[in-house]
Amino acid sequence: MKSSTFIKRIPLLILGILLKSLTAGAQQMTPSNFSFGSREALTWVLFGFLLALFFAALVLKQKVNDIRDGYKKKAEDEQTNELKEHSRKLNSKQISKLLDYKERNRRNKTGISVLILLLTTAISILPTSSLVAQSTGKPNASSLLSETGVLITIVLLLIPILAAIILLIVKVVNALNQTKNRQNLEMAEKLANYLRSLPEEEVNTELKRRKAALDYRLNHQELAGTQPAEDEKGLLQINSQPGLPIVALKKKALQRPGIDPELSRLILWYLGCATFWLLFGTTIGEYLGIKFVAPDADHVSWLSFGRLRPVHTNAVFWGWASLGMLGLGYYVVPRVSNTKLANINYGWYALWLINAAVILGTICLMAGINNGGGEYREYIWPVALLFAIGVVLTLVNFLQTIARRTTKEIYISNWYIIASIIFAIVITVVAYVPYWQNGLGETIIQGYYMHQGVGMWFMLFTLGIVYYFLPQQLNKPIYSYSLGILAFWTQILFYTLIGTHHFVFSSIPWWLQTVAIVGSVGMVIPVIAGTTNFIMTFKGAWYKIKDSYTLPFFLVGIIFYFTGSMQGTAEAFRSTNLIWHFTDFTVAHSHLTMYGIICFFLWAGIYAIIPRITGREAPQITIGAHFWLALIGLMFYTIPLMYGSTMKGLLWMEGKPFIDGVVLMAPYWLWRAIGGSLMWLSHLFFAYNMYKMMAGRYMVDVRETAIQNLDDSTNTVQPIA
Amino acid sequence: MELFDNHKKLFGTAAIFFIGLTILVAIMPAIRNQDNNQPLPGAVELSPDAVKGKALFIANGCVACHTQQVRNVDMDKMWGTRPSLAADYADNHRTDFWRNTATLMGTERTGPDLTDIGNRQPSKDWNLVHLYNPRIVVKESIMPAYPWLFIIKEEPSKSDIVVNVPSQYLDGKEGKVVATKDAMYLIAYLQSLKQTKLPDGTAAPAFLYKREEKKVAGATGSEPDGKAIFTANCQSCHQANGEGLPGAFPPLKGSPVVLGEDLEKYVDIIMNGYDARAEFGVMPPVGTNMQFTEHEVAALINYERSSWGNNGKKVTPDEVKKIINFVKLKAAK
């Protein structure tokens, strides 16, 4: 019995350690303010505790029932049924032993004990494993965070009680198991007798047939047959040079027929310009990051931090992300409407106008012409007007295209895309019309504008793109149309409200701040709906990720869509505002979202369509470099920044001198610059990939050319353009 | 559903939904705030110079790092005597035909808040040096330098405002640094940033999320940290090594005021500022601005008397309290 008591103690020991580490964890969490109210937490602990007890009771009840059934006097036929049942469940080995036995028995009628031994050992092995299984559920009860000393005391008090209860349960279960084993032994005895008494012919027919069935094995040629393999339909892509690949070989994009060459040209121009602005904007951003570490890098007024910062944000917003989205939109909108684009010229005008706006805006900002310092609204109105006209032209163009659609329904992508363009126009008008911009009016509009710009223009449009490209790349329909619709309307309802959460604790009316916080919490609904929809679309097709170089971009985008957006909700609360507001946490958050979500989705879409349009693909190794540098760079950028700014916020709350916070941030700003450099490097790879996809030098295709040579009477080598 | 298959109805509905919400949460509150708030009676309008300075502040994107809002939370107490009110921003109107209103509340505090900088750091000399290159006076600062607001002259005329810049910050150039008009405009704007006093009888809104109150003196170890007070309020001029900046800010190391017997003068300078020596800049009334208690002043004095090789007599809060009351009366006269 000594070894068994030791075994009994192991789960207890584990439990004790687990519980202690959990409470220690809870104590360490205390400085952060994300507490549930302590009474709530107490209820949770009690609830968890009761739940664990309830489960234990259920388990015990089950055991007791088992044993009671065993002791019940059974009717004779019921018992024989049970024995028959057992004999039917014998496995092949057991049957063969039984047959052997019968054979031998016929000859010398001995050797009965072997079978009994076999059966009893087999059965006695079964119930030992149940001891360890149940110790895992319980400690979770106390894992909820809390910070009051009272609660910790209660938890500490609960530990011995809990331990006692668990010990009790283990003892009871053990006793019950022993009883059960005794029953099993009796049963085995009966079964052996029963088997011994089986009539000869039954053994020969029934059991032998059963044994044959159990012994059946596939010969692995049932489906293939014996004929040699043949790929009659050209479905296989065989890599004939296996060698030692540096990167995994991914599937090539399939050529898609029927894209209007005019439209293709327009899309390529949009995406090409977008790439330029990405490079330009992030070069500026990279330089700004360096200035945090080396503030005296230059003393040129046009390059000073305050002037360059809006240059960076506006160039990546209106240059890169907007043009990138629109370029993909020009592909998606006619495609899902199953018709031609209404007016290709409008597309070109919009492209020129938007590019002009970003160029002029950049020059203005560097020259010190600034609309008033409101973020993302730094372009003065004549510049913003160019952008707005471009967007209006796009709206007209897309609406006309949709009006001519040959499908009955409007595919959900177009809901998102058109709505985002309408909203962008509304937002711009609200932001630039001067009638409500005096005093605090300006700040209220600013909060509204900067958040709607992000959430209604970039996020909504990009979601529309994902709703098209993700199913296309997975080659299966979107999981749920209804979830998409739910997310659409709830996004409008909640997102519109949240602007002023950038001004929590400011002199903006308290109720308006509260509305913004409530709206931020409401954003949980569209975000979870959207994420679920995308992830469930992946369901059953996860294996495709390893074969595709676009799907990893989608996956990262989806992950950040969830985490980034939820982080936004977490940041909006008053308690978290105390720590994080005004710190670089906001900067980290905006990069997690604008970069993690928007950029990764855009890249996914771009890598998905350009090869289909041009027939050229970028080298896999540089696509991989782009992906990993961007992802790792983003992590290096954001995580140290979030950690450092949390420390800084706590330092501010303690009332420490301001300069201490600057000193504290220095290493994290350095990490940010390093992460930023990796991100910037990834954009160089992206630009190279764009070049390869759009204008890569044409390599003479030996097979293609050989065939043409046969056709060609002049017999000259001529690459096909 | 018909709504979903008809593009006019679908996008019309979405647009109306969005515009409706926009009017409710943005336009109407904005109009109400703009119409219902008036500048406080004591508010001073920006001078023409300060208006030009504000334009420079906007043009150079200073708002990227400097907020101008004292939030109604305890941790913001260091930036002003009361939380900012809607009325504080009521006098901001559209800048001109091309440019929008600039309330400049800001969303990032990479640098200090500037709501009350005119009171906290009124010294023109300090601001000019700091603007030329912040690291001359605050080594750890990451604020950009603004040398283009200055010119270097071999022989400045009498009317020129010469800034005392140590030679290693001149990038090898010879001559004297002279502030341009733009630099003076910007400083005029910074000096104009002062929290307006509320009219008598009006209670300021409370600061929320209070830290645990500092325990009242008596018990050992509960005195405020003199070094932290020095870092936050004095160090940017007198420097961490107590040596000041030659030609701009006097040293405290070996200073007769710090080490001398005249405690009244010492406390008076801390509370009410000092402008008795022409070769140095004007010292603002730091103690009054920051509402120092006798415990804080005593801690500060004890820190200054025991640092950088200084070895002066320690003071108690009780001694200081009497003098504070006395110099307050004197200042009121």
Side-chain angles (χ1 to χ4, degrees):
Chain A
M1 280 311 275
K2 270 198 176 155
S3 68
S4 77
T5 49
F6 177 70
I7 290 169
K8 265 183 265 164
R9 272 182 199 161
I10 289 176
L12 275 180
L13 212 67
I14 295 171
L15 198 79
I17 293 165
L18 218 60
L19 267 175
K20 273 198 189 124
S21 68
L22 277 172
T23 45
Q27 273 165 326
Q28 273 173 7
M29 289 291 214
T30 41
S32 48
N33 253 7
F34 347 93
S35 73
F36 307 106
S38 61
R39 195 177 299 169
E40 234 174 294
L42 186 64
T43 340
W44 276 107
V45 171
L46 281 177
F47 176 70
F49 181 65
L50 289 176
L51 206 67
L53 272 187
F54 177 66
F55 273 116
L58 273 186
V59 171
L60 284 182
K61 178 139 191 334
Q62 189 60 39
K63 290 254 171 203
V64 171
N65 277 352
D66 267 8
I67 296 192
R68 211 176 43 201
D69 284 353
Y71 275 119
K72 262 187 199 157
K73 295 266 182 213
K74 279 173 192 161
E76 194 64 22
D77 56 337
E78 201 182 331
Q79 209 162 12
T80 38
N81 271 347
E82 205 178 340
L83 290 172
K84 257 188 196 155
E85 188 68 29
H86 272 299
S87 68
R88 255 200 296 278
K89 280 182 186 164
L90 291 178
N91 65 30
S92 161
K93 226 181 188 172
Q94 288 164 337
I95 293 176
S96 67
K97 282 209 170 145
L98 180 60
L99 289 175
D100 271 0
Y101 161 77
K102 287 276 175 190
E103 192 67 26
R104 260 180 288 135
N105 209 22
R106 217 171 0 161
R107 273 182 261 156
N108 53 16
K109 308 224 168 200
T110 51
I112 301 160
S113 56
V114 180
L115 180 66
I116 296 173
L117 200 70
L118 179 85
L119 282 172
T120 46
T121 45
I123 291 164
S124 63
I125 288 166
L126 288 175
T128 43
S129 60
S130 59
L131 260 181
V132 193
Q134 56 177 319
S135 58
T136 44
K138 276 166 202 130
N140 289 341
S142 54
S143 72
L144 290 159
L145 309 179
S146 85
E147 36 183 79
T148 55
V150 182
L151 186 60
I152 290 163
T153 321
I154 291 171
V155 172
L156 288 173
L157 279 177
L158 280 179
I159 292 172
I161 301 175
L162 209 67
I165 291 172
I166 288 164
L167 182 69
L168 186 77
I169 292 168
V170 169
K171 286 252 178 206
V172 172
V173 168
N174 219 30
L176 291 178
N177 282 344
Q178 279 175 7
T179 324
K180 183 77 190 164
N181 270 347
R182 217 176 301 135
Q183 281 183 13
N184 286 352
L185 274 176
E186 282 167 25
M187 195 64 189
E189 189 79 31
K190 275 183 202 155
L191 183 58
N193 287 333
Y194 169 75
L195 291 174
R196 220 175 286 135
S197 67
L198 277 180
E200 201 67 14
E201 67 271 26
E202 197 175 325
V203 172
N204 280 338
T205 53
E206 226 170 278
L207 281 179
K208 274 186 180 160
R209 214 183 310 143
R210 177 77 186 139
K211 183 169 158 42
L214 285 172
D215 285 345
Y216 178 75
R217 294 286 178 274
L218 290 174
N219 63 11
H220 301 296
Q221 294 202 318
E222 284 82 359
L223 295 176
T226 46
Q227 285 171 350
E230 186 86 39
D231 182 22
E232 278 175 19
K233 294 180 175 118
L235 298 173
L236 298 179
Q237 294 189 356
I238 296 166
N239 178 17
S240 51
Q241 298 159 314
L244 185 65
I246 302 169
V247 286
L249 196 70
K250 311 249 169 170
K251 274 189 185 147
K252 301 269 173 203
L254 298 172
Q255 196 89 33
R256 277 182 79 88
I259 300 165
D260 179 9
E262 277 299 298
L263 182 64
S264 300
R265 214 164 75 84
L266 180 70
I267 293 169
L268 290 180
W269 267 93
Y270 265 94
L271 299 180
C273 291
T275 310
F276 169 77
W277 287 119
L278 175 71
L279 269 185
F280 173 81
T282 54
T283 304
I284 304 274
E286 164 74 354
Y287 189 51
L288 290 171
I290 290 171
K291 285 201 163 202
F292 271 88
V293 184
D296 285 319
D298 76 77
H299 288 151
V300 183
S301 65
W302 281 47
L303 299 180
S304 73
F305 181 87
R307 295 195 192 180
L308 280 189
R309 187 181 188 269
V311 170
H312 162 67
T313 52
N314 286 288
V316 293
F317 271 31
W318 316 124
W320 149 243
S322 299
L323 284 178
M325 282 172 0
L326 287 170
L328 295 174
Y330 274 103
Y331 182 89
V332 174
V333 172
R335 173 90 16 214
V336 299
S337 306
N338 202 14
T339 183
K340 276 186 69 150
L341 184 71
N343 192 330
I344 200 115
N345 285 335
Y346 278 14
W348 287 106
Y349 299 152
L351 177 68
W352 284 114
L353 285 166
I354 294 172
N355 272 318
V358 186
I359 294 169
L360 286 176
T362 300
I363 295 171
C364 282
L365 287 175
M366 288 173 83
I369 300 167
N370 186 314
N371 188 39
E375 274 173 283
Y376 318 143
R377 183 160 70 140
E378 290 98 342
Y379 288 176
I380 51 172
W381 67 261
V383 174
L385 186 64
L386 297 177
F387 184 87
I389 296 172
V391 176
V392 170
L393 284 178
T394 313
L395 177 65
V396 172
N397 204 353
F398 283 180
L399 272 179
Q400 284 176 354
T401 309
I402 290 172
R404 293 181 198 169
R405 71 186 179 280
T406 54
T407 55
K408 179 167 174 284
E409 78 281 3
I410 304 163
Y411 182 62
I412 191 115
S413 281
N414 280 349
W415 291 39
Y416 279 88
I417 291 174
I418 300 294
S420 86
I421 300 177
I422 296 174
F423 298 169
I425 295 166
V426 174
I427 294 159
T428 316
V429 168
V430 172
Y432 277 92
V433 168
Y435 302 119
W436 40 70
Q437 311 257 12
N438 287 342
L440 265 194
E442 188 261 355
T443 310
I444 293 171
I445 297 298
Q446 175 60 28
Y448 165 84
Y449 167 78
M450 66 194 211
H451 224 102
Q452 301 313 307
V454 174
M456 288 307 189
W457 172 236
F458 295 111
M459 196 64 244
L460 215 52
F461 201 120
T462 306
L463 286 175
I465 288 171
V466 177
Y467 272 107
Y468 172 73
F469 280 109
L470 184 65
Q472 187 228 36
Q473 290 293 299
L474 287 169
N475 201 17
K476 60 195 293 240
I478 192 83
Y479 168 69
S480 163
Y481 217 83
S482 331
L483 272 179
I485 293 171
L486 172 77
F488 179 79
W489 295 109
T490 47
Q491 167 117 356
I492 300 176
L493 172 61
F494 291 118
Y495 215 115
T496 317
L497 309 180
I498 69 180
T500 31
H501 75 199
H502 285 266
F503 295 99
V504 171
F505 296 127
S506 77
S507 28
I508 281 178
W510 192 257
W511 69 265
L512 198 58
Q513 300 177 22
T514 309
V515 167
I517 295 168
V518 172
S520 311
V521 177
M523 277 308 292
V524 170
I525 298 173
V527 169
I528 289 183
T531 314
T532 312
N533 213 356
F534 297 147
I535 293 288
M536 292 303 279
T537 307
F538 260 106
K539 195 183 158 198
W542 288 104
Y543 68 92
K544 289 189 177 173
I545 289 179
K546 71 179 169 54
D547 285 340
S548 162
Y549 55 76
T550 58
L551 289 175
F553 283 97
F554 278 112
L555 189 63
V556 169
I558 294 167
I559 291 169
F560 283 119
Y561 177 52
F562 182 74
T563 52
S565 309
M566 288 296 98
Q567 187 191 43
T569 300
E571 277 180 83
F573 295 112
R574 289 207 167 89
S575 52
T576 45
N577 250 279
L578 276 176
I579 306 178
W580 290 330
H581 196 37
F582 292 150
T583 69
D584 290 288
F585 202 93
T586 324
V587 181
H589 170 67
S590 61
H591 281 82
L592 269 184
T593 47
M594 273 305 290
Y595 198 83
I597 307 174
I598 307 290
C599 292
F600 272 85
F601 278 150
L602 289 184
W603 286 324
I606 289 171
Y607 282 131
I609 64 159
I610 297 190
R612 281 151 200 264
I613 291 176
T614 63
R616 299 188 182 98
E617 286 195 68
Q620 263 181 40
I621 188 158
T622 48
I623 296 176
H626 169 207
F627 175 81
W628 287 110
L629 284 173
L631 183 60
I632 294 169
L634 181 62
M635 293 292 99
F636 274 148
Y637 185 107
T638 50
I639 292 172
L641 217 48
M642 289 192 281
Y643 177 78
S645 41
T646 307
M647 292 291 113
K648 185 175 171 179
L650 293 172
L651 184 140
W652 282 355
M653 285 170 78
E654 283 169 33
K656 291 274 166 61
F658 185 83
I659 195 71
D660 287 5
V662 179
V663 174
L664 174 117
M665 281 304 287
Y668 307 108
W669 281 330
L670 180 63
W671 275 111
R672 181 252 290 273
I674 293 169
S677 305
L678 294 179
M679 287 151 79
W680 181 75
L681 194 62
S682 84
H683 303 157
L684 293 185
F685 280 110
F686 171 62
Y688 173 76
N689 292 339
M690 286 295 283
Y691 167 76
K692 290 299 266 188
M693 288 190 290
M694 287 165 68
R697 215 176 306 145
Y698 187 81
M699 290 297 290
V700 174
D701 184 324
V702 178
R703 289 178 289 276
E704 192 71 33
T705 317
I707 297 299
Q708 231 196 1
N709 277 352
L710 294 181
D711 287 349
D712 218 346
S713 53
T714 54
N715 246 14
T716 47
V717 176
Q718 229 175 25
I720 326 116
Chain B
M1 253 211 281
E2 212 244 323
L3 168 70
F4 293 169
D5 292 337
N6 180 327
H7 60 277
K8 284 180 190 157
K9 284 187 186 167
L10 173 66
F11 298 130
T13 314
I16 288 167
F17 190 23
F18 181 68
I19 293 170
L21 284 170
T22 298
I23 291 172
L24 280 177
V25 300
I27 296 181
M28 274 174 33
I31 291 178
R32 193 179 307 161
N33 263 277
Q34 138 180 328
D35 291 349
N36 292 359
N37 286 305
Q38 292 289 321
L40 292 170
V44 187
E45 249 186 271
L46 290 184
S47 67
D49 279 5
V51 170
K52 288 178 191 155
K54 185 178 177 183
L56 281 161
F57 188 91
I58 298 167
N60 287 296
C62 306
V63 72
C65 299
H66 294 287
T67 52
Q68 286 187 35
Q69 47 171 321
V70 180
R71 297 174 298 166
N72 55 349
V73 290
D74 200 55
M75 61 194 277
D76 270 26
K77 252 184 180 170
M78 61 170 87
W79 305 121
T81 46
R82 60 168 172 83
S84 298
L85 300 172
D88 292 331
Y89 304 96
D91 206 20
N92 284 300
H93 302 286
R94 191 170 178 82
T95 309
D96 54 26
F97 178 69
W98 305 104
R99 282 169 290 194
N100 195 13
T101 318
T103 51
L104 300 173
M105 278 172 93
T107 54
E108 285 268 328
R109 207 175 259 172
T110 309
D113 184 88
L114 299 181
T115 310
D116 205 31
I117 191 69
N119 281 323
R120 220 170 54 243
Q121 185 46 281
S123 162
K124 195 182 283 178
D125 307 80
W126 185 88
N127 272 308
L128 283 170
V129 174
H130 184 254
L131 210 55
Y132 184 80
N133 190 326
R135 279 154 294 284
I136 299 173
V137 281
V138 186
K139 271 199 301 296
E140 302 85 354
S141 172
I142 58 155
M143 177 170 144
Y146 291 90
W148 64 86
L149 296 176
F150 300 83
I151 44 175
I152 292 177
K153 281 190 179 175
E154 290 285 320
E155 276 168 28
S157 66
K158 274 206 169 156
S159 59
D160 283 340
I161 298 155
V162 176
V163 185
N164 189 338
V165 174
S167 58
Q168 76 257 36
Y169 288 95
L170 285 177
D171 296 334
K173 278 173 246 167
E174 296 282 325
K176 295 278 180 195
V177 175
V178 174
T180 61
K181 273 189 176 163
D182 278 351
M184 298 317 291
Y185 293 149
L186 192 50
I187 282 163
Y189 174 62
L190 290 177
Q191 290 182 327
S192 77
L193 293 175
K194 293 178 180 176
Q195 264 196 325
T196 313
K197 279 220 172 70
L198 290 179
D200 290 336
T202 319
F207 285 104
L208 307 174
Y209 297 92
K210 286 221 185 317
R211 258 183 298 149
E212 259 179 63
E213 286 292 324
K214 276 178 209 151
K215 287 190 189 98
V216 189
T220 47
S222 61
E223 282 297 324
D225 180 6
K227 186 175 185 206
I229 297 170
F230 180 82
T231 311
N233 303 291
C234 319
Q235 183 170 304
S236 60
C237 291
H238 296 294
Q239 300 299 302
N241 57 11
E243 287 171 12
L245 201 69
F249 314 113
L252 300 182
K253 184 179 172 180
S255 155
V257 173
V258 172
L259 297 170
E261 286 298 310
D262 192 352
L263 190 61
E264 185 188 319
K265 187 182 180 190
Y266 193 4
V267 174
D268 190 20
I269 291 175
I270 292 176
M271 295 305 289
N272 297 321
Y274 197 53
D275 185 20
R277 294 169 70 183
E279 73 269 32
F280 292 124
V282 183
M283 174 161 162
V286 176
T288 311
N289 288 341
M290 299 311 293
Q291 298 177 311
F292 280 170
T293 63
E294 63 272 18
H295 300 282
E296 286 165 322
V297 174
L300 182 60
I301 289 176
N302 287 335
Y303 173 73
E304 290 176 355
R305 282 186 165 178
S306 60
S307 304
W308 322 297
N310 281 357
N311 192 8
K313 209 176 77 189
K314 297 263 172 172
V315 293
T316 64
D318 290 336
E319 279 174 78
V320 175
K321 187 172 186 182
K322 272 181 230 151
I323 303 173
I324 288 180
N325 292 337
F326 178 67
V327 297
K328 251 187 205 160
L329 283 175
K330 207 172 83 176
K333 276 178 212 161

